[in-house]
Amino acid sequence: MNKLLILGAGTAGTMMANHLRPRLDAEWEISIVDQEETHYYQPGFLFLPFDIYKPKQLQKRIDKFVPAGVNLIRQGIDRIVPDKNEVVLTNGKELQYDILIIATGTKIAPQEVSGMLGPLWQKDIFDFYTFAGAKALRDKIRSWPGGKMVVHICEMPIKCPVAPLEFAFLADSFFVEKGMRDRVDLTFVTPLSGAFTKPTATEKLGHLLAEKNIRIVSDFAIERIDNENHKLVDYGGQEVDFDLLVTVPTNMGDEAIARSGIGDDLNFVPTNNATLQTTIKDNIFAIGDATNVPASKAGSVAHFESEILTENILRYVRGEPLKEEFDGHANCFVETGHGKALLIDFNYSHEPVEGTFPFPGVGPLTLLKESRMNHIGKLAFRWVYWNMLLKGRHIPFVTAQMDERGKHFRESEV
Amino acid sequence: MDKEIAGMIVAVNDEGYLTNLEQWTKEIGEAIAGEENIAMTEQHWKVIEFLQHAHRNSEALSIRSLGKHGPVSIKEFYVLFPGGPLKKASRIAGIPKPASCV
């Protein structure tokens, strides 16, 4: 009996279980380890604070998506021991594997910034990258009288890099509808050189912030939060005042990666950009937010990776060379508020550009341009996620590698 | 596009970042630093070497990684390259600007 072990039953791990079970014969035992009870629709965390989604729309039982023929082991992971082809669980049990897939994702690490977990945490400082955080923020916003709202990114990389910007756009929209926008001073604080950092997006979307009256503070590398004076302080001495801080804390890979001694500074797993095999050992692969590949940490990326990783696992089993096919493809809806959204499509070498999607020249979705259709697409995606994506069904007309047709590339310079 | 820096013709992007590190020389770094009003010292060059080395090894650059593994502390990095140190130091080093997805 051969053993394939998947660590993590989130978006990426669940997709791999669904892809691989029908493709590996009965000689292969497949197990997936996860201690969580609930699978969250994480893109919904963006909408929960504004009462657009209800909590129950965002959660289902984790075992509902694990296919028949795959063992779900409900335990925490203590560490991976690559030399022994073994994973040790938190209850001390040891699991042997022939092939290991690491899909342990990323988590927020608010403890990384001094003062973040101080007296204001969950009182005037909130995250929206966890279910609990998004829900607590919803309760806060419902009765918030207005003041200085700061939307803030601590450091890159973060999961879904556009989510903080979307949050700021939705906040603008929300307070306009509530008739209190004049009482809200909205500021976006980023460690990068701007809200948008790629030339085409800066050119096409730079106006959105000014239009929505959102102030931007860039190149802000946070050193600490001054709880007493409600201030963010950066290493260069810059300060930003807040009444309500919505922050995206440092994102880090799972602690089990650190305990195994295999991760980088942020516990992300060193992984080949094109094959998704780790550089730790030939029989260890990684997918999704857990890797250090320079693609966005997003469900769409995990989805495209899963198609290529499935092929590579099958090749590895047959002793064939791996395909170097993953191109960093990501495809993301970006909410811009007031019932509109953008769609962006990009990869390692191409920045997001204008055009149509998924049909070249036709659409119906427009790239890098606000439209109502894109917003409808974003809301419809929840159904696609639960019913197609997690189950490993191919999404029609959307390819794992980026399609360059129907898109307006500038002369390539990356 | 091409640009003349310190008497050399090099390929740069719209924001003046070199697109090919192989074309970089210390004189070019010095000239870009001049545009940023930074007078290079030995400490500055240590940071630049660290950034180039990390870039050649395809390591993602961040203030954190520099503070942890680099030749200076984050505070000193800010003193050496005031106002957006990673952005400025990257341009002087001839490596790409740290970017998000859009």
Side-chain angles (χ1 to χ4, degrees), chain A residues 403-414:
Chain A
D403 187 346
E404 298 187 3
R405 293 171 302 162
K407 293 173 190 161
H408 312 312
F409 293 110
R410 51 170 60 198
E411 283 198 35
S412 190
E413 168 215 286
V414 283

Side-chain angles (χ1 to χ4, degrees), chain A residues 62-105:
Chain A
I62 208 163
D63 52 315
K64 209 177 137 150
F65 301 96
V66 175
V70 171
N71 313 315
L72 173 61
I73 300 168
R74 294 179 175 277
Q75 267 296 325
I77 300 154
D78 181 53
R79 66 189 187 275
I80 301 161
V81 190
D83 291 343
K84 293 161 85 177
N85 297 324
E86 185 181 282
V87 168
V88 183
L89 301 180
T90 44
N91 63 356
K93 196 170 179 264
E94 291 154 5
L95 300 175
Q96 306 294 321
Y97 61 81
D98 295 286
I99 296 175
L100 181 69
I101 299 174
I102 301 174
T104 42

Side-chain angles (χ1 to χ4, degrees), chain A residues 112 155 197 219 221 265 413, chain B residues 13 64 69 78 87 100 102:
Chain A
E112 290 291 309
E155 60 182 305
T197 52
D219 297 304
D265 287 347
E413 168 215 286
Chain B
N13 71 10
R64 166 189 291 264
H69 305 290
Y78 267 82
K87 176 176 75 170
S100 179
V102 285

Side-chain angles (χ1 to χ4, degrees), chain A residues 112 155 192-193 196-198 219 221 223 235-236 250 265-266 296 344 346 352 410 413, chain B residues 12-14 19 62-65 68-69 74-75 78 84 87 97-102:
Chain A
E112 290 291 309
E155 60 182 305
L192 295 163
S193 57
F196 304 100
T197 52
K198 300 285 175 89
D219 297 304
E223 184 186 9
Y235 283 102
T250 303
D265 287 347
L266 291 168
S296 290
I344 53 175
F346 58 100
R410 51 170 60 198
E413 168 215 286
Chain B
V12 297
N13 71 10
D14 296 353
T19 53
S62 63
I63 300 263
R64 166 189 291 264
S65 65
K68 198 160 175 188
H69 305 290
I74 298 177
K75 279 277 188 200
Y78 267 82
K87 176 176 75 170
K97 183 177 82 169
S100 179
C101 62
V102 285

